[in-house]
Amino acid sequence: MGSGSSVNANYKYSLQKSENAFKAAVLIQRWYRRYVARLEMRRRCTWRIFQSIEYACEQDQIKLHNFFSYLMDHFTPSSSKERDFISRMFVSGESFKEAELEKYCDYESMEVPDSYTGPRLSFPLLPDHATALLEAFKQKQQLHARYVLNLLHETRKHLKQLPNISHVSTCYSEEVTVCGDLHGQLDDLFLIFYKNGLPSPSKSYVFNGDFVDRGKQSLEVLIILFTFLLIYPKEVHLNRGNHEDHMVNLRYGFTKEVMQKYKVHGKKILKMIQNVFCWLPLATLIDQKVLVIHGGISDTTDLDMLEKIQRNKPRPAQAPSMANRLEFSRWVRQTVQEQIEWCRRLVDISESESEELTYSSMVSLTDLDGPCWTRQEEWKQILDILWSDPMPQEGCTANTVRGGGCYFGPDVTGKILEKYNLQFLIRSHECKQEGYEFCHNRKVLTIFSASNYYEIGSNRGAYVKLGPDLVPHFVQYQANKTAHTLTMTQRISRVEESAFRALREKLFAHTSALISAFKAYDKDNTGRIALSNWATAVESVLHLGLPWRMLRPQLVPSTADGMLEYKSWLDDLAMEQRSQEHIQSSLLEVIYRNRSNLETIFRIIDRDHSGLISFEEFHQTWKLFSAHMNIELTDDGINDLVRSIDFNKDGNIDFNEFLEAFRLVKQSQ
Amino acid sequence: MATGAGSLMVVVPPRRVHPEVMAAGPTASSRRGVASRAAVTAEPAAGANGAVAEIEKKIIEAFEVFDHECNKTVDVREIGSIVRSLGCFPTEAELHELLAKVEEEEPTGYIHLEKFLPVMTKVLLDRSYRPIPEDVLLHAFEALDENKCGYISKEKLVKYLTEEGEPFTQEEMEDMLSTALDPETNTVHYRDYISMMTVDET
């Protein structure tokens, strides 16, 4: 028995110790929770950056399209040669009749050399062919062009006899698996097949569009999907997505991929694919209760109309309503001026001219031998299905961010579900962190199957399985081994780095606009701006809707006095960009801002997808632009221009040389 | 404009997006999170000086990151993340106190910006919930390290953090261990861990 006081002392000591431990624990927990919260904020900001840049890019595409539209409406060809050129340039020969298409894309005369070790397809296709293809693509082999074309021909034949809306029943195969956007990410498709099994008579699949673009193996994805489609026509269903469209493919990489992989036969393959895309069904109905479409719906969605229209018809000539013609012209002028820096002045349109144009455009609109709907109405139905996005608020508004389709609210969903006695919608079209997401009170399910879409670690992919009870079961995955081994912090840092790089590039691309905006806050011309004003200024230029004050620490060096030297900050940005680019130019910024626009223009002019424009093509295009942009240049001037930009003197202009042309002209003005 | 069959690009005049005005109630904003968010244009309290205006803009930005429906409300469970990402280090108990001030009389599970903004502005102006300096954090770890050997065993750390103080959930504990734990020795070398985490912060 120890002395009383030492027992007391021991007791006091251990009491204090446990008090200390408690306090210490609270402190550590408090600190850690704050760390996690910051990480969560960073993750969300990163996501917002990627999304806003992605949608801003889509907007660019629309604006470019509108520019061409304007040119088409107002250019008067001065010779038949020019007229031919224009019609070639802007009408992509979809009027190819079936027989012409088969003749042009003939494959039977193509010989496959003995040295070819890839899969050899024979029709009708068998499951062994599919396995051989999967194996070949895993080994990074390429399917011979002859088989690609053959496959495309057979696919087209098959798709043509399908209705616009496919019907699937869960009583035949117990389960239906629905996959969302794949965007050329073959690894994700492999992963889905690995986890879920290959398509078979007891395993139905619906692939909900956007098979191509962005990812580097769009063609392989397409080949595999078409192969399974032909082997198991009752079990495999494909819906068209907004990326199954040749104009979109020009910008987002699919066209480029095909031409790079098939240098000789790429054109033919693209022509066939273009046609096959038009024949893809628009929607799938599961058990008459679940509607699967790529984008969404609108308040005017009419399934009866959708079932009856001819889905492969070319789009009607675009013309706004008569009442808004002038407004439209004015707006187009304004848009072009904003977006395409080198178009300085635009031709003025007289009122009479516009009235005339309107009349002729309106006439072309009505399809005299069609059913009771106008072409415009039919196309709106398709656009809504392929481009719309759900929104939390009620109502139905035009989807101005995408430029097509609508934003539809929960009331619209409710209305359409009730009208057609449906339980819920499945759609894709939007990347989701977890690969899937419900909205509209679980009546709309978004399913997205391209994991790591923005960057490694950015998001998971998912697919959904439905049984006869139509209760969705989800499987998520992430197709990159590295993503698994990284800690949460590392994953977020990595994606964040990528997002900020993209953001800095965008900032750089707007250097002069930013300088003007900063100067507005710097009346005394000190070259400095308060950090608190930096955020407002940047948003006024970029219009990305990002939380700039949250992002500021990562974009701008912290300063003792809260003031930023903006010129040197922008110089630092420029240095970072210039080191990645060969083109030496003080107008690098202009080129950057318009880079993807210019690339698209290039690809449109480059009709045979050779990666080169001939002098002749360039000449014609230049005349077209300069006539309406009031850039004076004689024929000799154009020839000199052309010769001066052909850097490697091979008689052709490649993309980099093309970019240079615009810099040169702007300088000499 | 004829761009060939099947091309689905459409010509739609862009809608001029109007910045949301604060305190106007739920607005019919066009695009979730993107096009409708112009520069933060909420007008700060009349007569406020520049510093307060700046603080309010920061709070609104942080709030909007978690405002999924673009209607100036956030889920009550996200308030902790918002408060902490604005630079505060509250304990769970302090957080609950703050919540009591910003919740509705009848708790709906949502917090409105108009209630949150003044409370949070005061928090930031008063510099409540101060950050924890590195040395204080170090002392906290040392208090749990009886033998003062520079590391704590996994079992001990788990026991302390999941049973004492404001206990971690299993998920929180696992997350921390994934970065902090040295798998070979099954211990946490807390000095290294702290310096690694603090670098990450900046």
Side-chain angles (χ1 to χ4, degrees):
Chain A
M1 190 169 101
S3 71
S5 61
S6 81
V7 165
N8 260 347
N10 274 342
Y11 179 68
K12 267 198 191 146
Y13 173 66
S14 64
L15 189 63
Q16 190 169 55
K17 208 177 92 152
S18 66
E19 244 180 56
N20 283 344
F22 184 91
K23 281 196 196 145
V26 174
L27 202 94
I28 295 173
Q29 287 149 349
R30 198 173 118 207
W31 164 81
Y32 184 75
R33 284 176 173 134
R34 133 81 197 191
Y35 173 79
V36 168
R38 260 219 74 209
L39 214 55
E40 176 65 16
M41 178 61 87
R42 280 165 63 190
R43 188 184 66 74
R44 283 171 194 257
C45 286
T46 301
W47 190 259
R48 291 275 298 276
I49 292 175
F50 276 128
Q51 267 199 323
S52 62
I53 292 183
E54 175 181 13
Y55 297 145
C57 195
E58 284 185 354
Q59 261 192 6
D60 268 359
Q61 175 76 342
I62 309 306
K63 287 172 179 161
L64 180 68
H65 191 85
N66 297 339
F67 167 68
F68 278 119
S69 199
Y70 174 80
L71 284 183
M72 263 310 281
D73 285 347
H74 298 110
F75 182 69
T76 329
S78 59
S79 69
S80 59
K81 216 164 158 205
E82 278 182 349
R83 208 179 352 259
D84 285 341
F85 179 71
I86 298 303
S87 52
R88 268 195 311 122
M89 186 163 150
F90 294 113
V91 181
S92 71
E94 198 30 59
S95 47
F96 252 142
K97 297 220 175 45
E98 303 293 282
E100 285 172 13
L101 187 70
E102 303 222 350
K103 190 159 159 257
Y104 176 67
C105 301
D106 164 63
Y107 57 88
E108 289 185 10
S109 54
M110 285 169 65
E111 274 197 33
V112 182
D114 290 331
S115 54
Y116 170 72
T117 54
R120 289 168 189 259
L121 304 180
S122 60
F123 293 79
L125 289 174
L126 298 166
D128 278 350
H129 291 123
T131 339
L133 273 172
L134 287 170
E135 197 46 47
F137 289 155
K138 284 202 181 107
Q139 309 295 331
K140 310 268 187 257
Q141 285 182 315
Q142 195 167 293
L143 185 64
H144 193 275
R146 181 207 165 100
Y147 300 123
V148 177
L149 286 167
N150 200 355
L151 175 66
L152 292 172
H153 276 274
E154 295 298 316
T155 305
R156 189 168 125 262
K157 269 205 296 226
H158 171 76
L159 290 177
K160 277 172 76 168
Q161 26 118 10
L162 293 181
N164 294 345
I165 302 183
S166 310
H167 289 262
V168 178
S169 175
T170 54
C171 59
Y172 294 130
S173 60
E174 291 116 39
E175 262 180 344
V176 178
T177 305
V178 182
C179 300
D181 294 27
L182 286 167
H183 281 300
Q185 298 190 182
L186 188 61
D187 285 341
D188 282 313
L189 187 58
F190 283 154
L191 199 51
I192 294 172
F193 286 157
Y194 175 71
K195 288 170 99 75
N196 197 45
L198 298 176
S200 71
S202 57
K203 192 145 284 202
S204 287
Y205 273 92
V206 178
F207 290 95
N208 199 14
D210 277 12
F211 319 124
V212 301
D213 279 331
R214 296 190 197 268
K216 300 271 179 283
Q217 294 169 291
S218 300
L219 193 52
E220 285 77 9
V221 167
L222 218 53
I223 290 171
I224 289 178
L225 291 180
F226 289 162
T227 302
F228 278 115
L229 175 72
L230 294 177
I231 299 174
Y232 301 111
K234 292 209 203 65
E235 288 81 22
V236 176
H237 306 269
L238 305 180
N239 284 345
R240 189 175 187 182
N242 62 309
H243 276 261
E244 275 70 57
D245 174 325
H246 76 282
M247 278 295 270
V248 180
N249 298 150
L250 279 171
R251 171 176 276 255
Y252 288 105
F254 182 46
T255 310
K256 193 154 123 181
E257 180 191 323
V258 174
M259 288 313 299
Q260 274 171 357
K261 289 180 175 166
Y262 291 91
K263 297 197 175 16
V264 178
H265 300 285
K267 288 181 284 173
K268 284 188 189 173
I269 294 177
L270 282 172
K271 213 76 253 100
M272 277 304 299
I273 290 178
Q274 197 180 312
N275 195 271
V276 167
F277 281 167
C278 297
W279 282 109
L280 284 168
L282 301 170
T284 300
L285 209 49
I286 303 177
D287 286 353
Q288 301 285 71
K289 288 273 164 221
V290 180
L291 181 65
V292 187
I293 61 263
H294 176 73
I297 53 174
S298 79
D299 53 358
T300 56
T301 293
D302 183 343
L303 291 185
D304 301 313
M305 197 196 294
L306 275 168
E307 278 191 317
K308 297 201 175 80
I309 61 181
Q310 267 183 271
R311 65 181 186 268
N312 70 315
K313 270 199 307 205
R315 66 183 304 222
Q318 279 293 309
S321 68
M322 215 186 270
N324 290 325
R325 183 61 185 169
L326 272 179
E327 203 189 283
F328 175 63
S329 314
R330 239 178 269 129
W331 162 74
V332 168
R333 246 184 292 177
Q334 190 189 336
T335 311
V336 168
Q337 258 166 345
E338 279 173 37
Q339 287 304 305
I340 312 224
E341 187 76 50
W342 46 265
C343 303
R344 300 277 186 72
R345 288 148 296 173
L346 299 176
V347 177
D348 272 3
I349 337 163
S350 67
E351 296 228 0
S352 54
E353 203 182 319
S354 43
E355 298 280 296
E356 218 177 309
L357 281 163
T358 313
Y359 178 72
S360 54
S361 322
M362 287 296 274
V363 165
S364 70
L365 274 182
T366 43
D367 187 9
L368 294 168
D369 53 326
C372 41
W373 312 299
T374 64
R375 286 267 209 96
Q376 289 284 47
E377 281 175 318
E378 290 183 357
W379 269 90
K380 182 177 191 301
Q381 289 290 324
I382 299 182
L383 281 170
D384 288 342
I385 294 287
L386 262 46
W387 287 81
S388 299
D389 292 310
M391 65 173 173
Q393 303 84 7
E394 303 216 322
C396 191
T397 55
N399 193 323
T400 49
V401 172
R402 302 253 196 199
C406 317
Y407 296 121
F408 61 99
D411 53 333
V412 176
T413 302
K415 192 180 107 184
I416 299 290
L417 289 181
E418 197 192 314
K419 182 172 176 191
Y420 296 106
N421 204 7
L422 303 169
Q423 269 181 28
F424 61 97
L425 302 176
I426 300 181
R427 44 90 64 176
S428 304
H429 199 40
E430 284 180 296
C431 183
K432 296 293 175 192
Q433 188 94 28
E434 294 297 317
Y436 73 95
E437 193 176 276
F438 279 107
C439 67
H440 293 186
N441 207 9
R442 292 181 82 90
K443 295 270 193 296
V444 175
L445 168 64
T446 303
I447 190 88
F448 195 84
S449 300
S451 67
N452 305 321
Y453 181 61
Y454 292 126
E455 174 58 77
I456 294 176
S458 67
N459 65 290
R460 294 158 118 170
Y463 56 86
V464 59
K465 297 155 78 79
L466 298 172
D469 57 1
L470 295 180
V471 171
H473 295 278
F474 299 97
V475 178
Q476 296 164 297
Y477 52 83
Q478 208 151 11
N480 189 295
K481 294 189 205 66
T482 346
H484 294 295
T485 59
L486 298 173
T487 63
M488 180 176 56
T489 313
Q490 287 172 313
R491 242 181 295 135
I492 293 179
S493 303
R494 195 181 177 139
V495 187
E496 203 182 28
E497 221 178 273
S498 188
F500 278 102
R501 212 179 311 132
L503 198 52
R504 280 195 292 270
E505 198 181 292
K506 258 222 167 320
L507 284 166
F508 164 72
H510 290 84
T511 301
S512 27
L514 282 171
I515 291 184
S516 321
F518 291 151
K519 283 211 167 107
Y521 288 98
D522 178 25
K523 295 278 162 51
D524 303 330
N525 224 348
T526 62
R528 288 143 60 85
I529 180 178
L531 281 177
S532 48
N533 290 326
W534 173 87
T536 330
V538 171
E539 177 59 25
S540 72
V541 170
L542 289 194
H543 299 297
L544 288 175
L546 291 173
W548 293 104
R549 285 166 192 82
M550 303 253 95
L551 304 175
R552 191 173 57 209
Q554 248 118 327
L555 292 169
V556 166
S558 61
T559 58
D561 57 353
M563 303 291 290
L564 170 71
E565 306 230 347
Y566 52 86
K567 284 244 172 75
S568 56
W569 173 64
L570 287 166
D571 281 340
D572 286 340
L573 281 181
M575 245 181 337
E576 190 186 323
Q577 300 304 321
R578 203 168 285 145
S579 61
Q580 300 165 13
E581 196 50 62
H582 303 301
I583 302 176
Q584 288 295 320
S585 167
S586 60
L587 292 176
L588 194 55
E589 163 206 343
V590 175
I591 295 176
Y592 252 80
R593 177 150 68 254
N594 292 296
R595 191 189 173 93
S596 44
N597 281 343
L598 292 175
E599 183 163 357
T600 310
I601 293 174
F602 182 90
R603 289 196 195 290
I604 292 174
I605 299 170
D606 175 24
R607 301 248 332 135
D608 58 1
H609 302 299
S610 56
L612 304 167
I613 313 179
S614 71
F615 283 179
E616 181 62 30
E617 284 171 329
F618 181 84
H619 193 112
Q620 293 291 3
T621 313
W622 198 256
K623 281 198 78 172
L624 176 71
F625 291 152
S626 59
H628 293 273
M629 305 315 131
N630 279 1
I631 299 172
E632 297 298 321
L633 210 49
T634 61
D635 272 354
D636 280 341
I638 298 180
N639 288 333
D640 284 339
L641 179 65
V642 157
R643 263 187 291 274
S644 68
I645 69 175
D646 176 20
F647 292 144
N648 56 10
K649 303 288 172 247
D650 64 350
N652 279 305
I653 299 169
D654 72 24
F655 181 50
N656 280 341
E657 292 172 346
F658 179 72
L659 288 181
E660 195 59 23
F662 293 101
R663 178 187 78 83
L664 285 174
V665 173
K666 190 175 152 85
Q667 253 189 359
S668 64
Q669 289 294 312
Chain B
M1 160 178 172
T3 54
S7 175
L8 302 173
M9 302 305 292
V10 85
V11 174
V12 173
R15 211 173 72 187
R16 286 280 161 244
V17 171
H18 297 289
E20 290 173 325
V21 174
M22 186 182 129
T27 54
S29 44
S30 60
R31 177 80 176 102
R32 181 178 109 177
V34 184
S36 64
R37 296 217 204 279
V40 173
T41 53
E43 297 307 310
N49 60 30
V52 174
E54 186 60 16
I55 285 177
E56 288 187 336
K57 285 185 188 159
K58 254 192 164 146
I59 296 172
I60 293 170
E61 255 190 14
F63 190 90
E64 284 184 343
V65 173
F66 290 87
D67 176 10
H68 302 297
E69 305 196 0
C70 309
N71 58 359
K72 310 268 185 232
T73 66
V74 300
D75 190 314
V76 65
R77 291 163 291 187
E78 317 258 43
I79 289 292
S81 301
I82 300 175
V83 173
R84 287 173 170 129
S85 61
L86 285 164
C88 301
F89 287 70
T91 62
E92 294 290 296
E94 286 167 333
L95 208 51
H96 280 127
E97 266 176 41
L98 192 146
L99 266 173
K101 292 190 208 153
V102 297
E103 263 179 334
E104 308 290 318
E105 271 89 51
E106 305 280 333
T108 57
Y110 287 99
I111 305 294
H112 287 267
L113 178 59
E114 47 192 22
K115 273 208 154 167
F116 182 71
L117 186 61
V119 173
M120 196 64 216
T121 308
K122 187 163 190 306
V123 163
L124 289 182
L125 284 174
D126 293 347
R127 299 178 193 260
S128 322
Y129 320 135
R130 304 301 302 276
I132 300 170
E134 211 175 305
D135 53 343
V136 171
L137 186 60
L138 190 58
H139 284 151
F141 275 101
E142 281 175 348
L144 305 181
D145 175 16
E146 292 167 338
N147 307 325
K148 307 285 172 251
C149 44
Y151 59 83
I152 307 179
S153 74
K154 173 182 168 186
E155 289 72 33
K156 261 243 175 78
L157 192 64
V158 171
K159 184 166 180 298
Y160 276 126
L161 294 180
T162 57
E163 292 177 19
E164 300 275 348
E166 295 177 325
F168 271 168
T169 61
Q170 190 173 353
E171 205 187 319
E172 284 174 313
M173 194 67 244
E174 276 169 15
D175 271 341
M176 181 193 249
L177 285 175
S178 70
T179 341
L181 189 68
D182 172 13
E184 283 172 29
T185 56
N186 247 10
T187 60
V188 173
H189 292 258
Y190 47 84
R191 265 184 200 273
D192 295 338
Y193 178 54
I194 292 173
S195 26
M196 178 176 75
M197 299 287 266
T198 355
V199 165
D200 225 11
E201 281 277 312
T202 49

